[in-house]
Every structure is written in structure tokens, then in C-alpha cells.
């Protein structure tokens, strides 16, 4: 299957600092990537949809100024948690949709390995 | 009512048992159905992918889709302790812009 690389796996930061998480599709082009947040023993909570070359679409209740998303190329999306606070501590996961060479949408989502963010 | 319903478990079975995991859904437009396996503190891994109705088999895993009942299943044969994980069903529809909706996930424990 397709590979999505997510870095870093773990990050610990002080309150008030910003943290950037990278998500890369290694062997396919991803016009659309997704960012999720997951709390212990809970399912994935979609935060935003990242489209290459355009602004991200945020889910209701997600602060776009706090969670900055950039999708500058077909293989890279970044999530920056700005002015992080302890309540932002969570497991963040990205996924990418294989857009397919023919331009037809492919419904398979491939996930990164996740980033555990701990804000002190 | 949630679009996708999935019993969170936990489900505990002995090694070698056949495991049955299920999801129901309400949106008849769903056409694409997926099962993901997620180990603790890891990203979900795509296990099975099915378009429309029918069965699909891959090794010890069988996915079934019954669109008339809006019901999908994942069967695991000869379950192993390494199968212990959370299993998420997911589905999407062309009419919904291919937005993928996930179930809550079922936690499975396979005891040696």
C-alpha cells in the first residue's frame, strides 16, 4: 500500500510555543490530505481538510488561527499548532487520499503514524 | 443518530477464535467501505477496501457489505494475539464529496 510519512512521532514543548507537524505522501500524489485529533480510547476527530494550492477547510469548532495548515505541494502538508497550551496535548494523525494517475478519485485513505504532542 | 454506528467493545476472544466486527450506517449513498486496524499510539492501517456490495477475502480477513441492510462486517479467522487492536470501519460516497465517515472503533483483545 501507499506510504504516508508523519514527523515527528513525539514532541514535548513549553506552553506558548508553536509546533509544526509534517505529513508526506512518499509514493503517490495527494491533492487532498486530512488532519485528525484523537483522544485516548476515542475515534478519529477530523480537524480539517487540506487541499493542495488552496486554503484548508476546517471542521466546526476547530480554530483555524490556532491550527495552521499548509499544503504547498502534492506530497506535503503541514499542521502548525500555534501558541500551544496543555489542552492542545493530544495525538494528531494525518491521512492522504491517493488521487490516482487518471484523475479519478481513489477512496483509499492512507494514514501517517501519528504525532503525540505534549505541552507542558 | 450517527451516520455510522460501531460497538466500541471491548471484545475479548481466545486465540484461534473467529472474530466478527460490524458496523451499521444510515446513509444509503455510501458506496465505498473500508476497515482499518489501529494499534495503540499508531496511525490506522488499511485492511480491507470494498466497493458496493459483496464479499472480499484477504488471507484471514473477510469483509462483507450488505447494502440492503446497511450493514458491513469484518471477519477474522484463526485470530492471533497480534490481532489485538482497535478496528475502525469507514465509508464514503461520491455524492458526499467523498468525505470519509469513521465508526467509533471496536477494541479487540485476543488472549493467548
Amino acid at each position: 500500500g501507499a506510504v504516508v510519512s508523519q514527523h515527528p512521532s513525539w514532541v514535548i514543548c513549553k506552553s506558548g510555543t508553536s509546533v509544526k507537524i509534517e505529513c508526506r505522501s512518499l509514493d503517490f500524489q495527494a491533492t487532498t490530505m486530512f488532519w485528525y485529533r484523537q483522544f485516548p480510547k476515542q475515534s478519529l476527530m477530523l480537524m480539517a481538510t487540506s487541499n493542495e494550492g488552496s486554503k484548508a477547510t476546517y471542521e466546526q469548532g476547530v480554530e483555524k488561527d490556532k491550527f495552521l495548515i499548509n499544503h504547498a505541494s502534492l506530497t506535503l502538508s503541514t499542521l502548525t499548532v500555534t501558541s500551544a497550551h496543555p489542552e492542545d496535548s493530544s495525538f494528531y494523525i494525518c491521512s492522504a487520499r491517493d488521487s490516482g494517475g487518471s484523475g479519478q478519485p481513489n477512496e483509499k485513505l492512507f494514514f501517517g503514524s501519528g504525532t503525540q504532542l505534549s505541552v507542558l | 443518530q450517527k451516520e455510522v454506528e460501531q460497538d466500541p467493545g471491548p471484545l475479548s476472544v481466545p486465540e484461534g477464535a473467529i472474530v466478527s466486527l460490524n458496523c451499521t450506517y444510515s446513509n444509503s449513498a455510501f458506496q465505498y467501505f473500508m476497515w482499518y486496524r489501529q494499534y495503540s499510539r499508531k496511525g490506522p492501517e488499511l485492511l480491507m477496501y470494498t466497493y458496493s456490495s459483496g464479499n472480499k477475502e484477504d488471507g484471514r480477513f473477510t469483509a462483507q457489505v450488505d447494502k440492503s441492510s446497511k450493514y458491513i462486517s469484518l471477519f477474522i479467522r484463526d485470530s492471533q494475539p497480534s490481532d489485538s487492536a482497535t478496528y475502525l470501519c469507514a465509508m464514503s460516497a461520491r455524492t458526499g464529496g467523498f468525505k470519509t465517515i469513521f465508526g467509533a472503533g471496536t477494541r479487540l483483545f485476543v488472549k493467548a
Side-chain angles (χ1 to χ4, degrees):
Chain A
V3 178
V4 174
S5 175
Q6 184 175 344
H7 292 281
S9 299
W10 286 84
V11 59
I12 301 173
C13 69
K14 293 182 179 179
S15 185
T17 60
S18 295
V19 174
K20 179 184 284 188
I21 303 170
E22 290 191 350
C23 182
R24 294 180 184 272
S25 56
L26 296 187
D27 51 3
F28 67 99
Q29 293 183 331
T31 55
T32 305
M33 290 185 174
F34 304 88
W35 288 95
Y36 306 83
R37 189 170 178 176
Q38 188 175 37
F39 293 102
K41 299 182 181 180
Q42 294 189 23
S43 190
L44 305 168
M45 184 184 78
L46 179 65
M47 298 174 65
T49 301
S50 168
N51 296 296
E52 186 266 337
S54 64
K55 290 183 178 180
T57 303
Y58 290 82
E59 296 298 303
Q60 189 174 10
V62 178
E63 298 177 60
K64 61 180 181 181
D65 294 331
K66 179 158 192 66
F67 299 99
L68 299 180
I69 291 172
N70 183 277
H71 193 157
S73 76
L74 284 172
T75 59
L76 174 64
S77 177
T78 61
L79 168 68
T80 301
V81 183
T82 62
S83 186
H85 287 91
E87 58 266 28
D88 298 324
S89 298
S90 187
F91 191 59
Y92 293 87
I93 311 174
C94 70
S95 72
R97 173 175 287 150
D98 184 349
S99 60
S102 65
Q104 293 300 311
N106 182 320
E107 293 324 294
K108 298 178 183 179
L109 289 179
F110 298 96
F111 287 82
S113 55
T115 298
Q116 179 64 51
L117 170 64
S118 297
V119 185
L120 304 178
Chain B
Q1 182 188 12
K2 292 181 181 177
E3 277 193 280
V4 178
E5 297 277 1
Q6 183 177 11
D7 188 337
L11 177 63
S12 183
V13 301
E15 183 175 359
I18 297 175
V19 176
S20 173
L21 304 168
N22 311 293
C23 288
T24 58
Y25 61 94
S26 57
N27 187 350
S28 59
F30 285 140
Q31 302 164 288
Y32 305 90
F33 304 91
M34 292 145 283
W35 285 96
Y36 290 87
R37 175 175 64 194
Q38 184 179 23
Y39 293 111
S40 181
R41 286 292 176 255
K42 297 291 184 183
E45 171 194 8
L46 180 63
L47 277 180
M48 302 292 283
Y49 171 80
T50 308
Y51 172 71
S52 193
S53 286
N55 295 355
K56 186 172 184 178
E57 187 173 325
D58 184 359
R60 296 184 295 111
F61 298 92
T62 299
Q64 290 185 350
V65 175
D66 182 347
K67 291 194 72 179
S68 62
S69 301
K70 298 189 183 68
Y71 188 88
I72 68 170
S73 301
L74 177 70
F75 297 96
I76 307 174
R77 292 183 297 281
D78 187 26
S79 56
Q80 303 295 310
S82 59
D83 295 327
S84 299
T86 296
Y87 291 80
L88 298 134
C89 65
M91 48 199 78
S92 64
R94 184 180 297 271
T95 55
F98 299 106
K99 184 174 183 177
T100 303
I101 308 299
F102 289 88
T106 299
R107 296 178 66 204
L108 172 66
F109 295 95
V110 181
K111 300 172 292 184

